[in-house]
Amino acid sequence: MPSRSPNNSGALSYGSIRYAYFKTTSTTGLKNPPQWQNIYHQATCVIAAHSARDDSEGFLYTSRSSLIQAHPTQAYTKFHEQVNQSGLSQRGWVFQERILSKRIFHFTNHDLFLEDASGIGLVNEGGLVRLSGDSPDGNKLNVEDAFHNSAQWYRLVERYSHCELTCDIDRLPAIIGLAQIFKEMSGCGRFMFGLWHEPLHLGLLWIQTARNPVRLKDAYRSGCPCPTWSWAAWKGSLSFPSCLEALESCISPLQKQESPLHTTVLENLGPQVPTLAISGKLRTLSDVQVTFNGDMESKGRFAGGRCEFVSTKPRMYGFAFFDGLGAGDERRFERIWLLLVAEHCNKRPIIAEEDAGTVAYHFRFTYYFLVLEEAGGPGLYRRVGMGARSRPNVWGDADKTTVFIV
């Protein structure tokens, strides 16, 4: 049975196998934070102690031999309940550690699981039993499979947004290790407060799905403002369009200066608000009434949390997701601006009855936009929401203009 050394760090043995174990802490505020992502990514094996409530408890019980006798047919359900839904897996810092690790031994109150690139295995008295069939949602992703384009990054952000953090200011630092590895493998350019510069349009199209979202003032450390265009500006769960991978950009980023990817560099930005410069099409709406009419428990990625808006000049009616608005909320704007960010074309084949050999196509376009309000002067805006509409294209043949978003 497993035995533990008396020190806080060292080694433990399980059968004839020997593992290293260690304890990490938050790196927020450190001038030279260690490269934790390399520790986890290069480790031969990582141990996850789901059975311990905190680092003051042990997890290597003498009675574990009676706890790891599980039936393989029930193992996926047990894994999801004991690992994916455990308190440890809900912690924000653990999210990146789990994904970056090549293989993990999950010690739970009842079972011992191995999770690696091959899938999930159950350790029982007969050895390792590999589980077959469809695995549950929320399992570990393999870095080599998931880090190829920025759309995959934002799917990770969706999962990460459901995790809990003791310090809200860790919302970005807790995934900076993932970002470091992702940059090396994907070639997505600069990392800007949770978004990738190439392509930029995908990262702007987030919506809040939390019932009570909280605006976060700072990013990385106190006094370093988080811009309104970043998903990290809000505490709580969020979502991106389901067709994110297929969206075509309608904006052109104007900032070309290179910015190294590291927490310490971003901390040195100081008190100024980070400004995003974009060339895109704007549509101005005046005298706009916004009313929350969505149910957060509605089915569908964008089914709940919507607000309806009505403008007087020009007369327009539509739906969007306004940041921070919840059930029963209303808001009135003297003016708002709709910035066209991306479009999606749904191409559906239609076969003519008189000539079965001829195929025609029906094209339906969906336009995704940011809702902006003025932030102190002409051309300077802050984000207040995001929306999508199928028709008509209210931007038409309008010329692109330079937009600065803080």
Side-chain angles (χ1 to χ4, degrees):
M1 293 311 299
S3 61
R4 180 174 178 174
S5 66
N7 301 321
N8 289 332
S9 62
L12 59 89
S13 61
Y14 189 88
S16 61
I17 306 175
R18 192 168 177 84
Y19 312 100
Y21 66 91
F22 49 87
K23 181 175 70 176
T24 63
T25 57
S26 169
T27 61
T28 305
L30 298 179
K31 291 186 177 181
N32 295 297
Q35 300 295 308
W36 294 120
Q37 73 277 3
N38 293 330
I39 296 177
Y40 285 94
H41 193 47
Q42 297 175 9
T44 301
C45 179
V46 171
I47 291 174
H50 299 269
S51 54
R53 288 178 297 182
D54 53 44
D55 59 3
S56 67
E57 292 188 355
F59 64 96
L60 301 174
Y61 306 110
T62 57
S63 59
R64 183 167 294 279
S65 60
S66 63
L67 300 178
I68 60 176
Q69 300 176 23
H71 298 291
T73 55
Q74 302 172 337
Y76 268 142
T77 299
K78 295 165 71 68
F79 180 84
H80 186 63
E81 294 173 350
Q82 298 175 30
V83 175
N84 292 342
Q85 295 182 339
S86 75
L88 181 66
S89 294
Q90 305 309 310
R91 294 170 57 183
W93 284 93
V94 172
F95 180 81
Q96 69 172 353
E97 295 165 2
R98 184 178 177 189
I99 292 178
L100 290 174
S101 302
K102 291 183 174 65
R103 56 188 62 85
I104 308 174
F105 274 104
H106 296 282
F107 285 78
T108 75
N109 283 324
H110 304 289
D111 300 289
L112 174 59
F113 296 95
L114 172 65
E115 187 177 26
D116 59 14
S118 301
I120 300 170
L122 174 68
V123 181
N124 59 28
E125 291 181 336
L128 179 65
V129 179
R130 285 291 179 181
L131 308 185
S132 59
D134 295 332
S135 61
D137 294 335
N139 288 0
K140 164 182 162 54
L141 295 175
N142 298 315
V143 171
E144 291 74 12
D145 298 332
F147 283 18
H148 297 299
N149 59 63
S150 57
Q152 293 170 322
W153 168 261
Y154 298 117
R155 296 302 176 213
L156 290 178
V157 169
E158 287 180 333
R159 290 176 54 173
Y160 169 70
S161 69
H162 290 271
C163 297
E164 298 293 333
L165 290 164
T166 302
C167 301
D168 292 337
I169 206 168
D170 284 345
R171 191 154 167 85
L172 282 172
I175 59 167
I176 200 70
L178 274 179
Q180 291 275 10
I181 301 296
F182 190 91
K183 179 181 175 68
E184 296 172 5
M185 301 185 66
S186 67
C188 288
R190 291 186 288 128
F191 186 72
M192 306 182 302
F193 291 88
L195 282 67
W196 293 102
H197 186 267
E198 299 173 9
L200 177 62
H201 65 287
L202 303 182
L204 295 172
L205 300 177
W206 50 269
I207 65 165
Q208 302 160 345
T209 56
R211 206 171 263 283
N212 298 299
V214 177
R215 178 74 165 92
L216 302 180
K217 180 181 178 181
D218 298 319
Y220 292 100
R221 67 170 177 81
S222 179
C224 179
C226 192
T228 63
W229 43 265
S230 169
W231 55 264
W234 291 86
K235 177 181 180 179
S237 60
L238 54 91
S239 183
F240 291 86
S242 58
C243 59
L244 197 64
E245 294 83 353
L247 296 183
E248 296 291 334
S249 179
C250 297
I251 58 174
S252 302
L254 299 180
Q255 294 171 322
K256 297 296 184 181
Q257 69 272 21
E258 188 64 22
S259 176
L261 170 66
H262 205 284
T263 312
T264 53
V265 174
L266 293 173
E267 283 183 348
N268 291 334
L269 289 173
Q272 73 271 23
V273 179
T275 302
L276 189 65
I278 294 175
S279 174
K281 295 183 178 182
L282 280 178
R283 181 64 188 266
T284 307
L285 305 182
S286 300
D287 189 19
V288 183
Q289 177 65 39
V290 178
T291 305
F292 183 93
N293 76 338
D295 179 3
M296 288 296 184
E297 295 182 354
S298 298
K299 294 182 179 180
R301 182 178 292 266
F302 277 7
R306 294 192 309 173
C307 298
E308 60 180 5
F309 65 89
V310 179
S311 64
T312 301
K313 184 179 180 182
R315 188 70 179 176
M316 183 185 295
Y317 172 83
F319 293 94
F321 300 85
F322 283 78
D323 303 336
L325 263 63
D329 290 343
E330 295 184 357
R331 188 173 177 184
R332 195 170 195 89
F333 294 88
E334 181 178 345
R335 281 189 301 175
I336 60 174
W337 286 260
L338 308 184
L339 172 65
L340 179 61
V341 173
E343 66 180 19
H344 176 248
C345 178
N346 185 12
K347 181 180 177 182
R348 183 166 57 89
I350 303 174
I351 301 177
E353 294 183 1
E354 61 275 10
D355 185 359
T358 302
V359 179
Y361 292 92
H362 172 73
F363 296 90
R364 180 181 179 182
F365 286 86
T366 302
Y367 305 95
Y368 293 83
F369 58 89
L370 292 187
V371 184
L372 308 175
E373 68 173 354
E374 207 166 48
L380 187 63
Y381 306 91
R382 68 173 62 92
R383 171 188 155 132
V384 293
M386 173 271 190
R389 60 185 295 122
S390 296
R391 59 180 185 272
N393 180 357
V394 298
W395 296 269
D397 298 326
D399 295 330
K400 285 188 173 183
T401 185
T402 299
V403 179
F404 297 95
I405 311 175
V406 295

